[in-house]
Amino acid sequence: MQNDAVYLGREKELAGLKLLHAGKVRDIYEVDRDHLLFVISDRVSAFDVLMSEGIPHKGRVLNSIAAWWFEQTRDLIPNHMVSTSLDCLPGLDPAKAELLQGRTMLVRRAKPTTVEWVVRGYIAGSGWKEYGAKGTVCGIPLPAGLEFCGRLAEPILTPTTKDEVHDMPLTPDEARDKVGAELFEKARSASMALFERGTRVLEEIGVLLADTKFEFGEIDGELVLIDEALTPDSSRFWPVDQYATGKNQPSFDKQILRDYLETLTWDKEPPAPTLPSDLLERVSNRYLEICEKITGTVPSGVTV
Ligand SMILES: Nc1ncnc2c1ncn2[C@@H]1O[C@H](COP(=O)(O)OP(=O)(O)OP(=O)(O)O)[C@@H](O)[C@H]1O
Ligand SMILES: [Mg+2]
């Protein structure tokens, strides 16, 4: 495969644009008052630790999956995506353009809501912990006797705060108080409709959508889907053919990496161990496979 140079990002300046924020995976640059440029790197973390190496094409895969969902869900709610073409960065030299091809998304700048909109169809992660302790998830009472990773009778909205360090669970009432009743109702109904769409589409390709996080923002008074949507980074995707309650489910994207790390005597604290190149390639192929399954094609910028 050509053009598989890894992009780790975190460049303070890109084609004259200033880096505003670097998350675990994405870098955000300021374009103008109304637009931002998202650059999705190949950075990868496992067990909450950032690896030193990147996964070839991972950023392209995540970007193209998010872009695909933005197109597919426009009938449910407008979104922030403007373009995934590099035309908005005319000053790029050709080598840099090749490296960035497929990793960028020009978006409309929004005022993000102060809530993250998590929807769960199955019970795992922090939801399982709260259920074990109190029989609730985000204060929503659930029936007794649910099994770990079990399916909920119907999907539930389990909002969280949007904090720098740890997002904290909010009851739906607390979320409503934070954002106001009108915005809450719009975001709630969009979240549920998007989750239902995601569930149905992914089911067809053998993927269970266990839970996912949406973000919304306001642009000129209109509520818009922002950030990323229904990617393996913002969701739990479980392979349906290996699904069983009462145990951890394999992760659709990162299992090869996690399994490898489990063979080491590493305490899961930084620094991360060095990853062998054949492992990086196998994980990369896994991401490309997921991308093809969802979008029907390999991402832009990947030449096979
Ligand atoms: N269209 C938009 N306009 C303004 N802000 C946006 C837009 N889309 C997303 N954002 C914000 O950009 C930020 C993206 O940050 P990102 O998720 O990459 O890193 P993080 O939240 O700091 O850390 P993590 O990597 O753990 O998620 C979020 O705060 C999100 O709300
Ligand atoms: Mg984030």
Side-chain angles (χ1 to χ4, degrees):
M1 197 175 297
Q2 298 148 26
N3 193 19
D4 56 357
V6 161
Y7 184 70
L8 291 177
R10 293 191 194 276
E11 296 180 74
K12 290 270 172 285
E13 201 201 280
L14 193 66
L17 306 180
K18 194 178 95 197
L19 179 67
L20 282 185
H21 175 86
K24 280 200 210 71
V25 170
R26 296 169 306 165
D27 299 335
I28 303 173
Y29 293 86
E30 177 157 50
V31 177
D32 57 35
R33 201 176 56 103
D34 298 327
H35 298 91
L36 300 171
L37 183 76
F38 274 64
V39 182
I40 328 296
S41 77
D42 295 329
R43 301 193 289 268
V44 65
S45 55
F47 303 113
D48 278 332
V49 177
L50 183 69
M51 303 290 120
S52 317
E53 299 81 4
I55 304 295
H57 300 306
K58 174 175 181 274
R60 294 192 170 107
V61 164
L62 292 176
N63 199 36
S64 94
I65 292 176
W68 189 83
W69 285 113
F70 283 139
E71 290 297 350
Q72 298 294 314
T73 58
R74 270 190 206 287
D75 59 320
L76 301 177
I77 181 163
N79 61 66
H80 70 169
M81 180 170 69
V82 177
S83 165
T84 53
S85 137
L86 283 175
D87 294 348
C88 61
L89 295 177
L92 276 185
D93 70 74
K96 198 60 182 262
E98 185 172 309
L99 194 57
L100 292 180
Q101 178 65 43
R103 304 179 191 284
T104 61
M105 190 181 290
L106 180 71
V107 307
R108 289 186 291 156
R109 198 193 281 231
K111 182 168 161 258
T113 68
T114 53
V115 166
E116 300 207 342
W117 305 84
V118 179
V119 185
R120 298 168 193 266
Y122 292 76
I123 186 155
S126 61
W128 175 250
K129 280 194 196 132
E130 183 183 322
Y131 176 72
K134 300 190 228 162
T136 59
V137 178
C138 288
I140 302 161
L142 293 177
L146 288 179
E147 284 186 87
F148 179 50
C149 295
R151 184 176 192 152
L152 301 172
E154 54 189 48
I156 54 172
L157 179 74
T158 57
T160 70
T161 60
K162 218 169 107 56
D163 283 340
E164 287 291 313
V165 193
H166 282 300
D167 297 340
M168 298 300 288
L170 292 169
T171 66
D173 283 343
E174 286 167 341
R176 186 185 289 108
D177 287 346
K178 256 176 114 63
V179 301
E182 195 185 324
L183 196 158
F184 176 83
E185 190 41 47
K186 279 189 200 157
R188 188 202 62 77
S189 71
S191 299
M192 302 317 281
L194 289 163
F195 190 83
E196 193 191 310
R197 176 76 54 86
T199 300
R200 194 157 47 73
V201 170
L202 290 167
E203 232 163 43
E204 282 168 24
I205 55 164
V207 176
L208 295 180
L209 176 61
D211 53 44
T212 196
K213 182 203 78 174
F214 299 111
E215 286 199 47
F216 300 99
E218 286 175 291
I219 304 175
D220 299 330
E222 183 182 42
L223 195 72
V224 169
L225 178 63
I226 62 167
D227 207 56
E228 61 185 322
L230 295 163
T231 71
D233 268 15
S234 65
S235 323
R236 281 195 177 84
F237 287 173
W238 293 340
V240 68
D241 56 358
Q242 293 168 66
Y243 172 73
T245 56
K247 65 165 183 80
N248 276 314
Q249 310 303 308
S251 140
F252 221 90
D253 51 333
K254 287 188 188 165
Q255 201 58 39
I256 299 168
L257 176 57
R258 286 191 192 160
D259 288 348
Y260 170 78
L261 292 168
E262 294 283 15
T263 66
L264 308 177
T265 51
W266 173 51
D267 60 4
K268 304 200 175 97
E269 294 294 331
T274 305
L275 304 176
S277 58
D278 68 308
L279 176 81
L280 300 175
E281 198 182 315
R282 279 194 295 133
V283 181
S284 173
N285 287 335
R286 183 73 180 139
Y287 273 99
L288 289 170
E289 206 181 290
I290 297 167
C291 186
E292 253 189 292
K293 264 182 182 254
I294 297 178
T295 70
T297 170
V298 294
S300 159
V302 178
T303 38
V304 191

